[in-house]
Amino acid sequence: MYALNHQPLVSFKSSLAGGRRSTGKFIKVRKAHVPSFGSRPNGLGSVRAVISGGDKAAVEEASTPPVQSKDISGTLKPSSSSPIEVKAVVTIRKKMKEKVSEKIEDQWEFLINGIGQGILIQLVSEEIDPVTNSGKIVESAVRGWLPKPLPSEHSHIIEYAADFTVPSDFGCPGAVRITNLHGKEFYLLEIVIHGFDKGPFFFPANTWIHSQKDSSQSRIIFKNQAYLPSQTPAGIKGLRHEDLLSIRGNGKGRRKPRDRIYDYDVYNELGNPDKSEEIARPVIGGEERPYPRRCRTGRPPSKSDPLTESRIEKPHPVYVPRDETFEEIKQNTFSRGRLKALLHNLLPSLAAKLSSSDIPFQCFSDIDKLYNDGLLPKDDDEQKESVLFSGNMMKQVLNVGGQWLKYEIPAIIKRDRFAWLRDNEFARQALAGVNPVNIEILKEFPILSKLDPAVYGPPESAITEELIEQELGGMSVEKAIEDKRLFILDYHDIFLPFIEKMNSLPGRKAYASRTVFFYTKTGFLRPLAIELSLPPTPSSPQKKHVYTHGHHATTHWIWKLAKAHVCSNDAGIHQLVNHWLRTHACMEPYIIATHRQLSSMHPIYKLLHPHMRYTLEINALSRQSLINGGGIIEASFSPGKYAMEVSSAAYKSMWRFDLEALPADLIRRGMAVEDASEPCGVKLVIEDYPYAADGLLVWSAIKEWVESYVEHFYSEPNSVTSDVELQDWWNEIKNKGHADKRNEPWWPILNTKEDLSGILTIIIWTASGQHAAINFGQYPFGSYVPNRPALMRKHIPQEDDPDYEKFLQNPQQTFLSSLATKLQATKVMAVQDTLSTHSPDEEYLGQVNPLHTHWINDHEILELFKRLSSRLEEIEKIINRKNKDSHFKNRSGAGIPPYELLIPSSGPGVTGRGIPNSISI
């Protein structure tokens, strides 16, 4: 047997040069070349190997086993009773950067493997052993020695081998059992079996193999052949069921970091009543506050509240199944982001503590300095002294973090620093900004609330027909509605029930808002009126204010404040509903159910697998630091401690699985109409709607890929209804993952391949295109505070207010003091920077990681995937052409940033483009 440092990616550089996107490290299947292991088991030519023979091991050249006669199925044909020699090549990934102690441990592992005491492997045949009534089994141990390291960028990937003596009637291998006898886990990339015809056979793993001392269960790895449950070969049918049972667990006990158990729980870990009553939070999930389920950790309840799970605080990790954790490159990228955020917030935090209050921006140049000079302006010695108080350690930190204290200039002001002031830019961002999914057509007048009038007052909006017609230049409201020219951003009903509580929080002043837009004949969207409402009181049953642009200086500044309040509401709904709820939180049950109910050899599992990467881990980190009680979201956005209750209310009143399909969502909002002649069956009401236009291109590519994939595996009548794993998967998503919505009538049925294709397209779109469109623009659009304030600290001054005279004397100061403080703003900016960053190991839609090219053994499917990749290339070119076409005013023109959020490819960093396969940040 042998071990060697391996260079399995020897041909990847040439492949990358011809791949679809050269910016990343991932390539299309059609261009990927992995060295054939048929005659070169290690990919490097002949290798020295230790061959076991009795009590001695002789070093000799590894050679290809003699050719045996085969039958037409490709398995070994018993020409005689002589046993056959086959070889298993085991590929393991080590850490890229190891400590000295870890390198010493590696030497010990090589020694243990060399004597056959490190890794045991069983080959399991697809054929039944009549004696045991289960798959035929042969067993061997990895034996290896430490060769001279080979210089390679992939020196952290090593190979071992195990030789097997296989009976001539063994049949075709279908599964591998692997047992780790070492004292710690290792990461298994794949196992390749040589010696069979039509081989080698690939067993992709990409999984952590636990130590036997932690669990006596061996791990089961299946061949890369996709099988529906009814097609499973008899010899591995029991293993298929056994593996699924081990993943589901029993729903009891606290999960350990090494576990790979997937189960459900409510959001009962957001608060920490044991630490302080101030950060106690209600359970999210259940009849009172419905919500999707998260991954169960099994931690004990808190001491103060039996309904609240005890907290795990940084730096200790929250449990996610072992294979869901970040890989090394991703972890390093995320850790650098956290350090950068720490440095960004360091000085504002110190300044706030030293002054006993948080410091507002005094002038617009204060904001500009964040990008031009960093947080510590070079020419402001007085500020340096007052903030840093001459601490040597602090000075060293600042010297080390120098460049990191400086923010990149956001895209929204990079081309035109005054763009945010203009009404057409305010409106443009409703179609081409970071939250382009809430604008809807205005279908009727008057605008009515659906809230209980006995509690929230008269349902009619204060935006009247007369007021709108004053802005329409002679057109009637009826005609504008008929011509589909009036649109609305309506955050009235979602916020009004929470406004009183939100405004009771220190430093928070919010309204429920409505904004009406008019689409002009010249192709621009123009805001006409903004309504800002407060809950009625006995003394003031109608607390609704309507603002229009006006031309007087006073009304002009008040209009700016009204727009800022709308942007603040938009930022809150974007973060809590469209981003967190509709992508992150709703994907989690799909992922849990996929692991629990679909075997890794199920074709639908293989289809969905790349769209689940890193999501459970990033969600766990979010529950720990972002959406938790006292976390960054509460500290930085208007709803404050009621943020997750707002999110729950949106889930209860608005979320429907069937309407998460992009065409259905556009029709629901009136932004598109049904049109069978169009590729996706819909025609946009506003042609120049960049999110929708580009999104439909990506949606159609995903849909075509999914439909072809499903057709390939479900060509037989009743094949969908007879697939027991698939039916259990869909039932579990509805009844456990989204248990609070399980009785809704709108859930799609799952009887046909068309039903299945529709469901899968929604899931894949949610994980890829939808998340990309509303996530990676956060820093480009949100990091310039006046453009998109995450919260407002003051109401708009009225004429009878004490501060009204101050507003008239210094409207700029009133505006800036209404925005987030420096500390609040830099917290949001730092998080937005991290969330908008692509990791160097990102995997994009239409690409395959070179280490995962053996994900399926099906030539037709690989050809279909190449077609998806080619289509995405075309879409990228189409989008680039549109961004240069002056006809599309919402994505081109003087100072207008191009709309790139749905361009499929990207390099690492904050790029404002790229569609990852999964919700990985």
Side-chain angles (χ1 to χ4, degrees), residues 40-66:
R40 298 168 60 189
N42 64 341
L44 298 170
S46 60
V47 296
R48 298 193 328 181
V50 179
I51 309 296
S52 58
D55 295 330
K56 295 183 179 181
V59 177
E60 57 184 57
E61 291 294 314
S63 59
T64 303

Side-chain angles (χ1 to χ4, degrees), residues 289-306:
R289 298 179 185 89
Y291 217 62
R293 299 302 189 253
R294 52 127 175 143
C295 188
R296 180 184 178 274
T297 66
R299 296 196 303 271
S302 65
K303 297 175 183 177
S304 307
D305 180 4

Side-chain angles (χ1 to χ4, degrees), residues 349-609:
S349 297
L350 285 171
K353 287 181 180 178
L354 289 173
S355 66
S356 301
S357 65
D358 205 348
I359 301 172
F361 292 105
Q362 299 297 321
C363 57
F364 284 101
S365 59
D366 277 359
I367 302 172
D368 294 339
K369 286 178 181 178
L370 294 175
Y371 317 109
N372 298 330
D373 301 322
L375 289 170
L376 191 62
K378 294 179 181 178
D379 59 351
D380 196 341
D381 294 329
E382 186 178 342
Q383 184 175 341
K384 286 184 184 181
E385 291 301 320
S386 65
V387 175
L388 297 181
F389 56 86
S390 72
N392 289 328
M393 180 178 176
M394 185 62 63
K395 290 176 181 177
Q396 291 175 8
V397 169
L398 292 174
N399 288 333
V400 171
Q403 189 60 35
W404 280 7
L405 288 169
K406 195 173 180 178
Y407 288 90
E408 292 294 323
I409 298 175
I412 191 59
I413 60 167
K414 201 166 192 175
R415 297 183 177 212
D416 182 353
R417 63 176 298 189
F418 302 111
W420 67 277
L421 285 165
R422 295 195 298 270
D423 283 358
N424 62 348
E425 178 60 25
F426 170 74
R428 189 191 73 85
Q429 290 182 33
L431 299 171
V434 70
N435 189 43
V437 297
N438 279 105
I439 188 168
E440 55 189 313
I441 202 162
L442 188 58
K443 297 177 181 177
E444 58 185 11
F445 237 85
I447 303 168
L448 298 174
S449 169
K450 295 178 182 178
L451 297 175
D452 184 357
V455 178
Y456 299 104
E460 294 83 9
S461 168
I463 300 176
T464 64
E465 193 167 336
E466 294 74 23
L467 186 146
I468 293 295
E469 288 180 347
Q470 288 175 16
E471 303 290 328
L472 293 183
M475 179 181 286
S476 69
V477 167
E478 183 180 2
K479 176 63 174 173
I481 290 176
E482 181 183 334
D483 290 351
K484 295 182 168 53
R485 305 277 291 279
L486 289 178
F487 298 85
I488 187 170
L489 274 180
D490 193 342
Y491 300 135
H492 180 275
D493 286 7
I494 186 62
F495 273 126
L496 194 61
F498 295 93
I499 289 295
E500 185 175 355
K501 292 190 289 186
M502 288 164 55
N503 288 340
S504 69
L505 300 172
R508 296 287 202 285
K509 288 295 178 277
Y511 301 95
S513 65
R514 292 188 179 104
T515 309
V516 176
F517 301 87
F518 178 66
Y519 190 63
T520 69
K521 289 183 178 180
T522 54
F524 286 103
L525 199 64
R526 181 166 66 89
L528 301 182
I530 293 173
E531 177 192 65
L532 301 179
S533 303
L534 295 171
T537 62
S539 60
S540 181
Q542 189 83 355
K543 300 186 73 173
K544 301 176 181 179
H545 299 279
V546 178
Y547 303 94
T548 57
H549 180 89
H551 301 285
H552 186 268
T554 301
T555 55
H556 188 68
W557 272 103
I558 288 178
W559 175 246
K560 283 187 176 65
L561 286 166
K563 287 195 298 181
H565 275 280
V566 172
C567 289
S568 175
N569 283 352
D570 192 71
I573 293 299
H574 164 260
Q575 199 63 260
L576 299 170
V577 179
N578 299 325
H579 182 211
W580 171 256
L581 167 64
R582 293 177 61 189
T583 62
H584 285 261
C586 285
M587 271 301 298
E588 187 149 347
Y590 310 151
I591 294 169
I592 297 170
T594 300
H595 284 283
R596 285 170 53 88
Q597 298 299 339
L598 299 181
S599 166
S600 60
M601 69 174 85
H602 197 290
I604 302 306
Y605 177 94
K606 291 182 179 294
L607 174 69
L608 291 176
H609 186 260

